[in-house]
Amino acid sequence: MLRASAVCEDAGLPSVSLVSDGFLGQAKVITKALRYSSLPVARLVGHPGAQSEDDLKRNIREVTAQQVITGLTQQGADVGEDDAEPNPEVPVLIGSLEEVNDHYLRREWSDGLPIIPPTRERIERFLAHTRRPADEVVATLTLPENRAVTVWSIAVNGVMAGCRPEYMPILIALIEAMGDRNYGLEHSGNTPGADTLIILNGPIIRELGFNYTQGVMRDGFQANTTVGRFWRLALRNLAGFLPHKMDKATYGNTWRVVVPENEEVLARIGWPSVAVDMGFAPTDSTVTISRMTGGDPAVGVTGGTPEELLPFIADSVQRSVNWQIGFTLDAGTLRPVVFLSPVLAETIAAAGWSKRRVKEYLFRHARQPAWQIERLRADWKRHPGWNLTDEVKKGVLPAIFAESDDPRRLVPVVWDPEQFIVAVTGDPLRTNAYVFAHNGVLGFPVTKKIDGK
Amino acid sequence: MSESFNDGRFEVYWPRAAKQGAKKPGARRLDTMDGKTVAFLWDKLFQGDLMFEVIKEELSARFPGMRFVDWTAFGNTHGADEKARVAALPGLLKELRADAVVSAVGA
């Protein structure tokens, strides 16, 4: 919203943004990040989503309207500048392990777990694993703090996270992905509090000893765990998402460990990896990032054929889609992720099914009754009268969403089968799957190739 | 190779990245609301459309010559096609002869 205001200001038009009480501090930080001395706001009392229509109207009349006039006719107060920041090339402290950890915690540079002290020697060991110079800018993360991330600063955070130096090419690829505009980093502090799912593909999985079998999403495997921790430290230190500041997660969750696919099984059954689905070669090592609010296993999937196995999984997929559809249906941007354990994938593939056919099955069977989607939008989100048939008539939605007028008809949760992301990973011999809820339109899947040294 | 510490002391570095860009002023404010055209931009969250109706009523009551451009002229400023829609704003606003913008909802 402030981003739109900034574009208007750039075009010479004064703007005022309507901001609720809980987001006034964030508005100030974003104003600084966008490098404005002022982007006026008009206050929304409390939260507009938790007020009756009468209360909301009264608050707008009594408080907001006058601030709109003021914001459009008077220059706002300068948000000021932050204190000068340290020179990256100069040590910030000489101290014991405890003193270093206390120092970093006090300055909000740490996540609360002990860090490995980023000494020059340790940083240089990471730098030795890339051809790129230490001062090269890998990505400029415009929002929220407009910071230019160098190879050096990536290495510092990699050391702190407990990564091994040889993980450095993965860390660089992750920051390239973080800076990709298609991913939408700027939404990383939004209230649903999603966290990033990192899927790893390619020869690097085995070269660096990542776990891709039993317990693949569990901590306890250095490569998976520390690279996942690096991501969250990077969001904090390199992007600027801190809880109680720019990270407005209502609840949030901890970072996810990196999830590699089981590429031996994929090769055996002839299915493409996620990276290949995203347009890369099977020989490429890649990271794929997307933001997920949550996930749940489908436990004890039972059957000897795809027709017996997939109904349970399709049902789990449709159950995982709730509020997200309110944000994604209009543009067809939902990207649900399904993990199949190797034994499930092998059983499905043994019947001659391709991964594409699995996605088509999910498209046809992971469906919800039309009335359920309409209730979410029309009643719960307060868009009275909204319905799928009208949206199809207006050309907003494809015809498949209005094949009849029956409110009990089943409609898909995505527009196209290829919008399902299917990965093969986890305990090779357990018949469980896992389904992730995609965070609406925020955090689109982005894949980057990992460049070796 | 020895670490840059002695007796368990570490010489450590700043983990952040440098901020970019110089600060700029916003657009010149309106000298008056009289006779001006205000455009509404909405991210389709939290009843912004209702807020706009109330603001229109309030502004019209105080400045009868004002004109308004509804949010539907610009589409949803949040979400999948946000970047394209926001990039198109300057041209659309000029075409629609808007003088100022109210953007909502930050919540």
Side-chain angles (χ1 to χ4, degrees):
Chain A
M1 180 220 24
L2 276 164
R3 294 187 290 278
S5 297
V7 167
C8 298
E9 297 274 349
D10 278 343
L13 276 74
S15 70
V16 64
S17 304
L18 310 189
V19 179
S20 71
D21 282 336
F23 284 74
L24 293 171
Q26 197 179 31
K28 199 171 173 182
V29 176
I30 292 174
T31 300
K32 286 182 186 176
L34 292 168
R35 304 308 293 154
Y36 277 91
S37 53
S38 168
L39 285 175
V41 301
R43 179 187 167 215
L44 297 171
V45 175
H47 193 288
Q51 294 171 26
S52 70
E53 200 167 300
D54 286 344
D55 285 345
L56 179 59
K57 285 179 174 175
R58 189 179 62 251
N59 285 329
I60 299 288
R61 284 186 206 288
E62 293 180 357
V63 177
T64 313
Q66 179 55 48
Q67 294 188 12
V68 168
I69 296 167
T70 304
L72 294 180
T73 56
Q74 296 176 25
Q75 204 66 49
D78 193 321
V79 290
E81 287 284 5
D82 293 329
D83 296 339
E85 295 191 317
N87 181 340
E89 296 173 8
V90 177
V92 289
L93 180 75
I94 301 173
S96 67
L97 181 65
E98 290 74 16
E99 287 167 339
V100 168
N101 273 281
D102 285 347
H103 186 85
Y104 280 51
L105 274 171
R106 278 199 304 276
R107 282 155 185 77
E108 300 181 299
W109 298 339
S110 176
D111 55 11
L113 291 171
I115 57 154
I116 301 294
T119 60
R120 177 170 288 278
E121 287 75 10
R122 286 176 176 149
I123 295 164
E124 287 178 347
R125 281 180 218 146
F126 279 62
L127 298 177
H129 284 267
T130 176
R131 283 188 298 264
R132 300 169 79 159
D135 61 355
E136 181 181 326
V137 174
V138 173
T140 297
L141 306 178
T142 308
L143 286 172
E145 292 190 338
N146 205 18
R147 294 183 184 274
V149 181
T150 60
V151 173
W152 170 275
S153 56
I154 292 170
V156 173
N157 283 276
V159 173
M160 290 168 61
C163 294
R164 299 179 72 85
E166 54 267 36
Y167 304 164
M168 185 64 177
I170 301 177
L171 310 186
I172 291 173
L174 283 172
I175 297 302
E176 288 175 338
M178 185 183 276
D180 189 314
R181 285 173 60 84
N182 291 322
Y183 174 67
L185 171 71
E186 63 272 22
H187 303 300
S188 298
N190 66 347
T191 61
D195 222 309
T196 306
L197 172 66
I198 302 169
I199 296 176
L200 190 65
N201 283 110
I204 205 164
I205 295 169
R206 297 195 67 183
E207 288 165 10
L208 296 182
F210 280 86
N211 176 37
Y212 55 91
T213 62
Q214 191 264 316
V216 69
M217 295 202 292
R218 186 76 83 205
D219 54 71
F221 304 90
Q222 186 183 21
N224 307 59
T225 306
T226 59
V227 175
R229 186 187 184 196
F230 163 83
W231 177 267
R232 178 46 75 182
L233 283 174
L235 283 173
R236 166 181 291 269
N237 288 328
L238 305 179
F241 289 103
L242 276 76
H244 298 196
K245 292 181 178 171
M246 282 306 296
D247 180 356
K248 296 291 287 182
T250 309
Y251 301 103
N253 42 251
T254 52
W255 35 269
R256 293 190 166 91
V257 307
V258 172
V259 178
E261 278 200 271
N262 190 327
E263 301 209 349
E264 293 147 40
V265 169
L266 286 173
R268 203 156 58 231
I269 66 178
W271 282 14
S273 68
V274 168
V276 172
D277 285 343
M278 296 291 282
F280 290 82
T283 50
D284 290 335
S285 289
T286 64
V287 289
T288 299
I289 60 167
S290 54
R291 288 185 76 219
M292 301 290 158
T293 38
D296 207 21
V299 176
V301 181
T302 305
T305 66
E307 291 82 358
E308 291 170 346
L309 294 169
L310 286 171
F312 186 177
I313 295 168
D315 185 62
S316 297
V317 170
Q318 72 84 12
R319 285 174 193 272
S320 76
V321 178
N322 180 17
W323 62 273
Q324 299 91 345
I325 208 160
F327 288 90
T328 57
L329 197 65
D330 290 357
T333 51
L334 192 73
R335 302 297 305 271
V337 173
V338 180
F339 288 170
L340 296 175
S341 67
V343 68
L344 288 176
E346 286 172 315
T347 306
I348 294 166
W353 281 48
S354 64
K355 192 205 264 192
R356 166 78 193 179
R357 192 168 169 190
V358 171
K359 293 180 181 183
E360 285 168 354
Y361 182 95
L362 294 175
F363 183 69
R364 286 197 311 276
H365 295 277
R367 295 193 173 194
Q368 296 186 348
W371 66 263
Q372 191 171 304
I373 294 171
E374 289 169 345
R375 180 182 62 179
L376 178 83
R377 296 288 288 270
D379 300 342
W380 296 348
K381 294 283 186 181
R382 291 185 180 171
H383 296 289
W386 187 94
N387 66 79
L388 292 166
T389 304
D390 284 352
E391 296 302 298
V392 171
K393 284 178 184 164
K394 285 190 281 187
V396 174
L397 293 177
I400 197 168
F401 288 93
E403 288 181 331
S404 82
D405 291 332
D406 184 352
R408 294 168 302 173
R409 71 187 185 280
L410 296 175
V411 297
V413 294
V414 298
W415 284 19
D416 185 279
E418 280 303 319
Q419 289 169 336
F420 290 106
I421 296 173
V422 177
V424 176
T425 189
D427 190 336
L429 290 173
R430 187 63 169 97
T431 57
N432 293 342
Y434 200 97
V435 176
F436 284 97
H438 180 236
N439 186 28
V441 295
L442 318 170
F444 290 104
V446 164
T447 302
K448 294 291 177 188
K449 185 176 173 181
I450 300 165
D451 279 329
K453 188 176 173 184
Chain B
M1 186 175 165
S2 64
E3 294 266 12
S4 58
F5 65 88
N6 293 299
D7 302 324
R9 295 179 70 76
F10 301 87
E11 190 174 276
V12 291
Y13 288 81
W14 188 54
R16 308 214 64 191
K19 283 189 178 177
Q20 303 297 296
K23 209 158 69 170
K24 52 190 172 183
R28 188 175 167 200
R29 309 333 273 179
L30 302 176
D31 51 357
T32 175
M33 300 289 279
D34 275 324
K36 294 297 192 291
T37 298
V38 168
F40 292 102
L41 306 179
W42 190 26
D43 53 15
K44 291 194 82 173
L45 295 171
F46 304 117
Q47 295 188 282
D49 47 353
L50 177 65
M51 297 174 195
F52 296 151
E53 290 309 310
V54 179
I55 290 169
K56 269 194 244 179
E57 287 171 22
E58 286 294 307
L59 296 186
S60 298
R62 299 186 207 185
F63 309 99
M66 284 192 72
R67 199 172 69 84
F68 302 96
V69 181
D70 197 65
W71 71 271
T72 52
F74 310 98
N76 182 358
T77 58
H78 185 48
D81 45 4
E82 172 182 326
K83 292 179 180 73
R85 286 189 193 266
V86 170
L89 285 175
L92 267 175
L93 289 163
K94 188 175 176 187
E95 194 179 302
L96 295 164
R97 298 182 179 179
D99 299 301
V101 163
V102 175
S103 180
V105 174

